[in-house]
Tab-separated table of all heavy atoms in Angstrom:
chain	number	residue	atom	x	y	z
A	20	ASN	N	0.821	-1.222	0.000
A	20	ASN	CA	0.000	0.000	0.000
A	20	ASN	C	0.850	1.267	0.000
A	20	ASN	O	0.387	2.330	-0.426
A	20	ASN	CB	-0.910	0.020	1.227
A	20	ASN	CG	-1.899	-1.136	1.220
A	20	ASN	OD1	-2.305	-1.595	0.155
A	20	ASN	ND2	-2.286	-1.610	2.400
A	21	THR	N	2.060	1.136	0.510
A	21	THR	CA	2.916	2.329	0.623
A	21	THR	C	4.086	2.308	-0.360
A	21	THR	O	4.891	3.226	-0.362
A	21	THR	CB	3.475	2.441	2.051
A	21	THR	OG1	4.214	1.246	2.359
A	21	THR	CG2	2.351	2.610	3.059
A	22	LYS	N	4.173	1.250	-1.168
A	22	LYS	CA	5.312	1.074	-2.061
A	22	LYS	C	5.482	2.262	-3.017
A	22	LYS	O	6.597	2.739	-3.240
A	22	LYS	CB	5.169	-0.219	-2.862
A	22	LYS	CG	6.390	-0.571	-3.708
A	22	LYS	CD	6.200	-1.919	-4.380
A	22	LYS	CE	7.471	-2.334	-5.130
A	22	LYS	NZ	7.853	-1.367	-6.173
A	23	VAL	N	4.368	2.751	-3.573
A	23	VAL	CA	4.438	3.870	-4.516
A	23	VAL	C	4.997	5.114	-3.829
A	23	VAL	O	5.861	5.805	-4.366
A	23	VAL	CB	3.051	4.162	-5.111
A	23	VAL	CG1	3.100	5.422	-5.981
A	23	VAL	CG2	2.569	2.978	-5.943
A	24	ALA	N	4.510	5.371	-2.607
A	24	ALA	CA	4.981	6.549	-1.868
A	24	ALA	C	6.451	6.406	-1.498
A	24	ALA	O	7.229	7.368	-1.585
A	24	ALA	CB	4.144	6.739	-0.609
A	25	VAL	N	6.854	5.192	-1.103
A	25	VAL	CA	8.253	4.954	-0.740
A	25	VAL	C	9.162	5.131	-1.951
A	25	VAL	O	10.217	5.776	-1.872
A	25	VAL	CB	8.431	3.538	-0.139
A	25	VAL	CG1	9.911	3.206	0.024
A	25	VAL	CG2	7.725	3.450	1.202
A	26	ASP	N	8.756	4.562	-3.084
A	26	ASP	CA	9.547	4.707	-4.313
A	26	ASP	C	9.661	6.170	-4.723
A	26	ASP	O	10.717	6.624	-5.174
A	26	ASP	CB	8.921	3.890	-5.438
A	26	ASP	CG	9.094	2.393	-5.239
A	26	ASP	OD1	9.962	2.011	-4.429
A	26	ASP	OD2	8.363	1.620	-5.881
A	27	SER	N	8.561	6.905	-4.573
A	27	SER	CA	8.578	8.337	-4.900
A	27	SER	C	9.555	9.083	-4.001
A	27	SER	O	10.306	9.954	-4.453
A	27	SER	CB	7.172	8.937	-4.746
A	27	SER	OG	6.273	8.324	-5.633
A	28	TYR	N	9.561	8.716	-2.729
A	28	TYR	CA	10.467	9.344	-1.751
A	28	TYR	C	11.922	9.050	-2.106
A	28	TYR	O	12.773	9.949	-2.084
A	28	TYR	CB	10.147	8.839	-0.355
A	28	TYR	CG	11.044	9.385	0.727
A	28	TYR	CD1	10.828	10.645	1.264
A	28	TYR	CD2	12.125	8.634	1.207
A	28	TYR	CE1	11.655	11.148	2.254
A	28	TYR	CE2	12.949	9.133	2.191
A	28	TYR	CZ	12.710	10.386	2.712
A	28	TYR	OH	13.537	10.887	3.680
A	29	ILE	N	12.204	7.778	-2.452
A	29	ILE	CA	13.572	7.387	-2.791
A	29	ILE	C	14.033	8.109	-4.055
A	29	ILE	O	15.154	8.645	-4.117
A	29	ILE	CB	13.658	5.857	-2.980
A	29	ILE	CG1	13.422	5.143	-1.644
A	29	ILE	CG2	15.021	5.464	-3.540
A	29	ILE	CD1	13.310	3.641	-1.764
A	30	ASN	N	13.173	8.125	-5.086
A	30	ASN	CA	13.524	8.794	-6.348
A	30	ASN	C	13.716	10.294	-6.140
A	30	ASN	O	14.620	10.897	-6.722
A	30	ASN	CB	12.431	8.543	-7.393
A	30	ASN	CG	12.366	7.092	-7.831
A	30	ASN	OD1	13.368	6.389	-7.790
A	30	ASN	ND2	11.197	6.633	-8.248
A	31	PHE	N	12.865	10.881	-5.295
A	31	PHE	CA	12.994	12.306	-5.001
A	31	PHE	C	14.310	12.598	-4.287
A	31	PHE	O	14.997	13.580	-4.592
A	31	PHE	CB	11.814	12.764	-4.145
A	31	PHE	CG	11.894	14.210	-3.724
A	31	PHE	CD1	11.652	15.230	-4.622
A	31	PHE	CD2	12.228	14.536	-2.416
A	31	PHE	CE1	11.730	16.558	-4.226
A	31	PHE	CE2	12.313	15.853	-2.010
A	31	PHE	CZ	12.054	16.872	-2.924
A	32	SER	N	14.681	11.723	-3.347
A	32	SER	CA	15.939	11.902	-2.610
A	32	SER	C	17.138	11.821	-3.553
A	32	SER	O	18.073	12.619	-3.452
A	32	SER	CB	16.057	10.836	-1.521
A	32	SER	OG	15.005	10.937	-0.593
A	33	LYS	N	17.107	10.843	-4.469
A	33	LYS	CA	18.191	10.708	-5.441
A	33	LYS	C	18.263	11.935	-6.348
A	33	LYS	O	19.351	12.427	-6.660
A	33	LYS	CB	17.994	9.446	-6.276
A	33	LYS	CG	18.188	8.147	-5.496
A	33	LYS	CD	17.962	6.938	-6.388
A	33	LYS	CE	18.176	5.643	-5.622
A	33	LYS	NZ	17.908	4.455	-6.486
A	34	PHE	N	17.102	12.410	-6.769
A	34	PHE	CA	17.041	13.597	-7.628
A	34	PHE	C	17.648	14.810	-6.924
A	34	PHE	O	18.448	15.553	-7.508
A	34	PHE	CB	15.589	13.871	-8.015
A	34	PHE	CG	15.380	15.163	-8.759
A	34	PHE	CD1	15.635	15.240	-10.120
A	34	PHE	CD2	14.929	16.297	-8.101
A	34	PHE	CE1	15.447	16.432	-10.812
A	34	PHE	CE2	14.735	17.485	-8.769
A	34	PHE	CZ	14.997	17.563	-10.134
A	35	VAL	N	17.261	14.984	-5.658
A	35	VAL	CA	17.779	16.122	-4.886
A	35	VAL	C	19.287	16.013	-4.712
A	35	VAL	O	20.027	16.996	-4.847
A	35	VAL	CB	17.074	16.201	-3.518
A	35	VAL	CG1	17.770	17.213	-2.607
A	35	VAL	CG2	15.621	16.575	-3.692
A	36	MET	N	19.772	14.791	-4.419
A	36	MET	CA	21.201	14.592	-4.193
A	36	MET	C	22.013	14.920	-5.450
A	36	MET	O	23.007	15.649	-5.395
A	36	MET	CB	21.457	13.148	-3.763
A	36	MET	CG	22.924	12.843	-3.473
A	36	MET	SD	23.578	13.827	-2.092
A	36	MET	CE	22.702	13.091	-0.717
A	37	LYS	N	21.573	14.381	-6.598
A	37	LYS	CA	22.296	14.619	-7.848
A	37	LYS	C	22.288	16.098	-8.210
A	37	LYS	O	23.327	16.669	-8.573
A	37	LYS	CB	21.678	13.796	-8.975
A	37	LYS	CG	21.908	12.300	-8.850
A	37	LYS	CD	21.248	11.550	-9.993
A	37	LYS	CE	21.460	10.045	-9.855
A	37	LYS	NZ	20.771	9.299	-10.946
A	38	ASN	N	21.124	16.726	-8.121
A	38	ASN	CA	21.029	18.132	-8.488
A	38	ASN	C	21.731	19.036	-7.487
A	38	ASN	O	22.210	20.106	-7.857
A	38	ASN	CB	19.557	18.532	-8.635
A	38	ASN	CG	18.931	18.014	-9.914
A	38	ASN	OD1	19.034	18.640	-10.962
A	38	ASN	ND2	18.317	16.851	-9.854
A	39	SER	N	21.793	18.593	-6.233
A	39	SER	CA	22.521	19.385	-5.233
A	39	SER	C	24.009	19.418	-5.555
A	39	SER	O	24.662	20.463	-5.411
A	39	SER	CB	22.307	18.791	-3.834
A	39	SER	OG	20.964	18.889	-3.459
A	40	LEU	N	24.552	18.287	-6.013
A	40	LEU	CA	25.968	18.235	-6.380
A	40	LEU	C	26.250	19.133	-7.579
A	40	LEU	O	27.253	19.855	-7.612
A	40	LEU	CB	26.372	16.790	-6.689
A	40	LEU	CG	26.352	15.820	-5.501
A	40	LEU	CD1	26.637	14.401	-5.960
A	40	LEU	CD2	27.363	16.249	-4.442
A	41	VAL	N	25.353	19.092	-8.573
A	41	VAL	CA	25.509	19.948	-9.758
A	41	VAL	C	25.424	21.421	-9.355
A	41	VAL	O	26.230	22.253	-9.783
A	41	VAL	CB	24.437	19.616	-10.815
A	41	VAL	CG1	24.480	20.619	-11.962
A	41	VAL	CG2	24.632	18.202	-11.345
A	42	PHE	N	24.440	21.733	-8.502
A	42	PHE	CA	24.257	23.117	-8.056
A	42	PHE	C	25.445	23.589	-7.231
A	42	PHE	O	25.885	24.735	-7.350
A	42	PHE	CB	22.967	23.202	-7.233
A	42	PHE	CG	22.562	24.606	-6.893
A	42	PHE	CD1	22.319	25.536	-7.889
A	42	PHE	CD2	22.421	24.999	-5.570
A	42	PHE	CE1	21.945	26.842	-7.572
A	42	PHE	CE2	22.053	26.281	-5.241
A	42	PHE	CZ	21.805	27.215	-6.250
A	43	ALA	N	25.983	22.690	-6.392
A	43	ALA	CA	27.151	23.043	-5.579
A	43	ALA	C	28.358	23.333	-6.471
A	43	ALA	O	29.120	24.278	-6.209
A	43	ALA	CB	27.460	21.911	-4.610
A	44	ALA	N	28.549	22.527	-7.515
A	44	ALA	CA	29.654	22.753	-8.449
A	44	ALA	C	29.478	24.091	-9.166
A	44	ALA	O	30.446	24.848	-9.347
A	44	ALA	CB	29.723	21.619	-9.464
């Protein structure tokens, strides 16, 4: 029941991490 929300959270975290590194550079 929560798999979609968990996957969305994980994908969002990865997106933020990658873009944070690009933005920091």
Side-chain angles (χ1 to χ4, degrees):
N20 297 330
T21 58
K22 187 176 185 300
V23 174
V25 171
D26 289 343
S27 298
Y28 178 81
I29 293 173
N30 292 332
F31 177 74
S32 299
K33 291 179 179 178
F34 173 81
V35 170
M36 181 62 70
K37 290 179 181 178
N38 285 275
S39 295
L40 293 174
V41 173
F42 189 59

